[in-house]
Amino acid sequence: MSFHSFYQRASSLFKAYPSTSKILLLSTFSGGGGVLVYSDSNPLKRILHADATLDSDGNPIRKKKVVVLGSGWSGYSFLSYLNNPNYDVQVVSPRNFFLFTPLLPSVTNGTVEARSIVEPIRGLMRKKGFEYKEAECVKIDASNKKIHCRSKEGSSLKGTTEFDMDYDILILAVGAKPNTFNTPGVEEHAYFLKEAEDALNIRHSVIDCFERASLPNLTEEERKKILHFVVVGGGPTGVEFSAELHDFLVQDVAKIYPKVQEFTKITLLEAGDHILNMFDKRITAFAEEKFQRDGIDLKTGSMVVGVTADEISTKERETGKIVSEPYGMVVWSTGIGSRPVIKDFMQQIGQGQRRVLATDEWLRVEGCDGVYALGDTATINQRRVMEDIAAIFNKADKGNTGTLKKKDFNSVVKDICQRYPQVELYLKKNKLKNIANLLKSANGEDTQVNIEKFKQALSEVDSQMKNLPATAQVASQQGKYLAKCFNKMEKCEKKPEGPLRFRGEGRHRFQPFRYRHFGSFAPLGGEQTAAELPGDWVSIGHSSQWLWYSVYASKLVSWRTRMLVISDWTRRFVFGRDSSSI
Ligand code: FAD
Ligand code: MG
């Protein structure tokens, strides 16, 4: 390096990082070269080593600060796939680990240990050179691009620390909170199943109930009350938890607490007509029958209206009456709602009227620059084909003839299907191969279509629009998708997408997010699982249970957790579950 270019580089660094000039000593110059002595101070070292941080003129590029909130499915996936040295990445999450939620119900009865399904975040931070702060974001100041954070109160450290952080890009991956629908008494008396601590609390409480019911001087009624387990919500989590609890009662409690076993009862309450209503009807029917056979008291059309320390009250749809029952333990699993910090943020950006934060198809929060949202935090506000129909038509109608021929579509068909996933769903549902067939079926012939016929043919398509489910599958795919977009940005200034083809000229640089569904499982206990796989393929029974074991083992994020979970499963097969209340 010539002295001149060295001097240029050094002086531009001083300009960008004035504070570093204190530690940089140009000690000796001899001939055309020099010796550069600098301390271990990280930013300077990084900037001198990594040419990626200098532009073509040798001037340092200020790294864009990307702040990621959350270390769950979407945040962890984003961080794992992000590989762009042009970003200064800071992670804020109150949880210094990733939690593999699909196995959380198995923690409630000791089939799997909590530590086996968590992956510390620090390892990933070190590997990637990202920074982590164990704190919760309590306020987003969107207009000043700042967040306000608070550390959580530790068990030994009293008090909290508060700090502000600024950002260029903010990634919201904070998930959601359990939704109580403001039902009185739920926050105070029910258990949730969302975090690792929740699963451990449930496990301790179940064992406590059995120990309490085994004490002398209790009446039969009291024992029945203590051993009445109520699960609220017939979605996948409530059903899986009920099944896990039932397995524990049948396989372990019968041996460990033979005297009180006869007093146990599990009640599953569901406000709708059926449990697992997002699954295929065959699965719902099988699950309902199996639960009846197992002696789980399944009550549908039963809406919880209040919980006190001793009783749970429901309104029965058939009779309209309020019924109260004593219980020993209630687990609440009725869905999710937005976190307070997100609700407040929605107010600031004009989304206060919405139930869930909305993003566009590139996962950018609508109405707010530089903020992205992933996973359970937000939903994609899918654009309607009908909103853009005139633009689509004009784009295809290159000669401005007012009519379209089949070949005219070829240029826009791919874009239509990409931008509007509902078109593909509609074609699939109606067993049509492509849009030309759709036009043909709508118009009876294939030759020419005017805008009215075009509108008519596509008029039903928007009815296929569906929000993506709040699942780990969606969250992790969104994290991976966004990281890949960020990786592709050669320079940080570039936005992850170009102008839309239909709204302006040119083609967008990044495809919008597209979800790929790989199927879902509903474990039903007794080594039986229902699986719904793409292509309407339904399988229920022991074979799906083995599929479940292998899929979940493969989806665990590290070999360490994989080994731990497999050894937990083996231990359970050989020795049964651990019933100690520690
Ligand atoms: P999370 O994974 O919930 O992550 C949120 C992160 O944000 C956490 O690290 C949290 O500590 C952090 N955070 C919270 N508040 C703040 C804040 N203010 N500031 C900063 N950080 C914050 N899905 C499936 O696909 N298959 C399954 O089998 C399945 N089983 C499930 C079983 C259970 C018991 C549960 C509860 C969920 C299950 N899910 C399953 C759903 C799945 O877990 C969620 O959809 C997924 O976790 C959503 O990912 P996320 O990144 O949006 O949020
Ligand atoms: Mg999610």
Side-chain angles (χ1 to χ4, degrees), residues 73-74 175-176 336 374-378 469-476 478:
W73 274 100
S74 56
I336 51 172
L374 310 170
D376 289 0
T377 312
T471 61
Q473 250 187 95
V474 173
S476 62
Q478 290 186 335

Side-chain angles (χ1 to χ4, degrees), residues 360-363 380 382 413-428 468 473-482 485 508 510-518:
D360 65 12
E361 306 93 313
W362 288 270
L363 311 181
I380 295 175
Q382 184 56 53
V413 159
K414 204 170 153 229
D415 279 357
I416 296 180
C417 286
Q418 220 169 52
R419 184 83 213 274
Y420 310 93
Q422 62 265 41
V423 174
E424 252 180 10
L425 288 175
Y426 185 81
L427 296 176
K428 220 192 231 167
L468 294 177
Q473 250 187 95
V474 173
S476 62
Q477 286 182 31
Q478 290 186 335
K480 183 176 175 182
Y481 160 82
L482 196 65
C485 290
H508 37 84
F510 292 92
Q511 318 288 356
F513 171 72
R514 284 301 293 276
Y515 171 59
R516 281 188 67 200
H517 185 62
F518 292 107

